[in-house]
């Protein structure tokens, strides 16, 4: 399941073209639940791409620098040591 929350979001649809309407203060939050597949791969010379897909073929791709990936790895290591999630 993919959930999107759009704030201050307005676009104009005219003859199949989408055009921004209003100021550039738009924000979005994306959440994916029931992930069926997750993978990490190289993205260019300096980034890692994380790709998540659910059973409905919704996909989220996130590109991170290696130091940000390492922070996530450290967080997961801490969860493995301290949380019942991995029991």
């Amino acid at each position: 399941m993919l959930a999107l929350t759009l704030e201050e979001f307005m676009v104009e649809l005219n003859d199949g073209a989408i055009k921004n309407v209003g100021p550039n203060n738009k924000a979005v939050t994306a959440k994916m639940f029931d992930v069926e597949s997750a993978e990490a791969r190289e993205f260019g010379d300096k980034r890692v791409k994380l790709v998540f897909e659910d059973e409905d073929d919704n996909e989220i791709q996130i590109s991170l620098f290696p130091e940000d990936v390492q922070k996530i790895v450290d967080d997961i290591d801490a969860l493995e040591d301290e949380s019942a999630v991995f029991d």
Side-chain angles (χ1 to χ4, degrees), residues 19-87:
K19 179 182 175 185
N20 177 46
V21 176
N24 291 342
N25 63 343
K26 293 158 183 51
V28 65
T29 299
K31 298 178 181 180
M32 180 176 279
F33 303 95
D34 302 321
V35 172
E36 291 285 318
S37 69
E39 71 173 297
R41 57 183 181 231
E42 291 182 0
F43 183 65
D45 292 340
K46 297 183 180 183
R47 294 190 184 217
V48 175
K49 183 186 286 187
L50 305 176
V51 182
F52 304 92
E53 190 172 317
D54 70 6
E55 62 187 15
D56 297 323
D57 293 328
N58 295 307
E59 183 178 271
I60 294 178
Q61 296 185 11
I62 301 167
S63 172
L64 299 171
F65 288 107
E67 57 270 17
D68 297 320
V69 173
Q70 190 58 55
K71 290 176 190 171
I72 293 171
V73 170
D74 293 343
D75 289 344
I76 292 170
D77 287 342
L79 281 173
E80 286 180 325
D81 294 337
E82 302 166 6
S83 173
V85 171
F86 286 94
D87 289 343

